[in-house]
Amino acid sequence: MAASLLSQAIRRCSAHTCTAAFRRGLSSGAAPSSVFTRFLLKLNHTFYDVENIVGWSSWMRSRVVRRKNRFFGYTQQKFGDNIAAAYYILSLRGSFRFAGESEWFRPDSRGKFSYEFLNTPDSHIEQVDLSGTLINHEGLDNLVRQNKLQTLCLRGCPEVDDWFLARLHVFGETLLELDLSHCSRITVGGLAALQNLRKLQHLDISGLPQLQSPGLVQILLEEMLPRCQITGAEYEQGLIQTDSQEPPEDQNEASLHTNTGLKHT
């Protein structure tokens, strides 16, 4: 969407620039020379090259996102649901902890990780941290069978959107903590789908730019999830107008004394 809008803007800018330059050439009273024509053609080609680069970059990104969120069906058939989910999380450079274990499995700075989790195929994943990864709603197919998942951290995930939140209902009986902070694509409509998470105890909605009135959203979420502690938004956000037309009390008082003094005078 953003790439499409940018491409349209570049196209309009290119056409406007070339037209304006051509008109200036005509207004000078001289016919456009071959040098001037070549300049316009080169300028036009440059803008189209930029447009093609933007389109290619957008296509490459979407391709990477699809590849990273593919369904690990072969791994699931060969090693089971838990191992497939663990491998998917680590391939995204996320981390997890098995139920009943204290050790976390994490990749290193180069994305390499240990395969020791293959030794515990019957262990269910209890905590998952996918902060800053490219997980999207399609990638959830690799996690939906984790029926003991209690903690899910999605802080700063650029592909997490309302469709993603609508699919979290599969964890309605187990999920206790959910971190959605700084996910730029989440709207109020997506948060409404969290009503299916009946066991949720903690929800973080800080830094969501699509929320116009975070304070009102927090009130609605607290009514929808009465047992959940919601953090990241204050009641005053979007509810209290800072540019109130009524002057402060002390200012009213000072104005009253001034007017009284003028009347006595």
Side-chain angles (χ1 to χ4, degrees), residues 21-238:
F22 186 73
R23 286 177 178 174
R24 284 196 299 269
L26 290 180
S27 62
S28 63
S33 64
S34 59
V35 176
F36 183 70
T37 303
R38 287 199 299 270
F39 168 73
L40 289 180
L41 289 175
K42 184 174 181 59
L43 187 63
N44 188 50
H45 291 161
T46 300
F47 276 106
Y48 274 103
D49 288 343
V50 173
E51 182 182 2
N52 291 333
I53 291 173
V54 171
W56 180 80
S57 176
S58 175
W59 178 82
M60 282 297 296
R61 176 179 171 79
S62 62
R63 185 171 180 270
V64 170
V65 172
R66 288 197 303 270
R67 180 172 57 82
K68 285 185 173 294
N69 287 282
R70 69 188 184 278
F71 180 61
F72 285 56
Y74 174 78
T75 307
Q76 187 182 83
Q77 291 178 3
K78 188 172 183 180
F79 299 100
D81 298 331
N82 303 328
I83 299 300
Y87 184 68
Y88 167 69
I89 293 169
L90 292 174
S91 67
L92 283 177
R93 296 198 173 191
S95 57
F96 70 91
R97 183 182 65 79
F98 282 125
E101 302 290 337
S102 59
E103 179 186 0
W104 280 75
F105 288 89
R106 293 185 176 90
D108 59 19
S109 58
R110 296 179 298 173
K112 306 297 182 180
F113 51 85
S114 170
Y115 286 87
E116 292 183 4
F117 61 90
L118 293 173
N119 300 326
T120 55
D122 297 327
S123 299
H124 291 268
I125 296 176
E126 188 173 84
Q127 290 184 292
V128 175
D129 185 356
L130 290 165
S131 300
T133 64
L134 293 177
I135 185 173
N136 65 5
H137 67 280
E138 295 177 349
L140 275 177
D141 289 336
N142 295 292
L143 302 178
V144 292
R145 298 190 181 183
Q146 296 306 305
N147 54 17
K148 291 188 178 181
L149 184 64
Q150 295 183 2
T151 302
L152 180 59
C153 182
L154 302 168
R155 180 182 179 89
C157 292
E159 299 297 323
V160 170
D161 54 9
D162 295 346
W163 288 102
F164 187 98
L165 300 189
R167 295 201 63 191
L168 291 181
H169 66 87
V170 295
F171 307 118
E173 298 299 327
T174 62
L175 197 61
L176 303 178
E177 298 182 14
L178 179 61
D179 187 348
L180 301 175
S181 59
H182 303 284
C183 293
S184 58
R185 302 179 64 180
I186 292 178
T187 69
V188 178
L191 293 176
L194 299 181
Q195 61 182 332
N196 298 309
L197 304 179
R198 293 177 288 273
K199 299 295 182 65
L200 200 62
Q201 296 178 4
H202 185 267
L203 172 64
D204 191 344
I205 58 170
S206 60
L208 302 184
Q210 298 287 346
L211 301 186
Q212 300 298 325
S213 301
L216 179 59
V217 172
Q218 177 155 345
I219 293 174
L220 296 176
L221 286 173
E222 287 177 349
E223 292 182 357
M224 189 173 66
L225 302 168
R227 299 180 181 178
C228 181
Q229 178 186 5
I230 300 169
T231 60
E234 301 295 335
Y235 293 117
E236 294 81 6
Q237 288 183 268

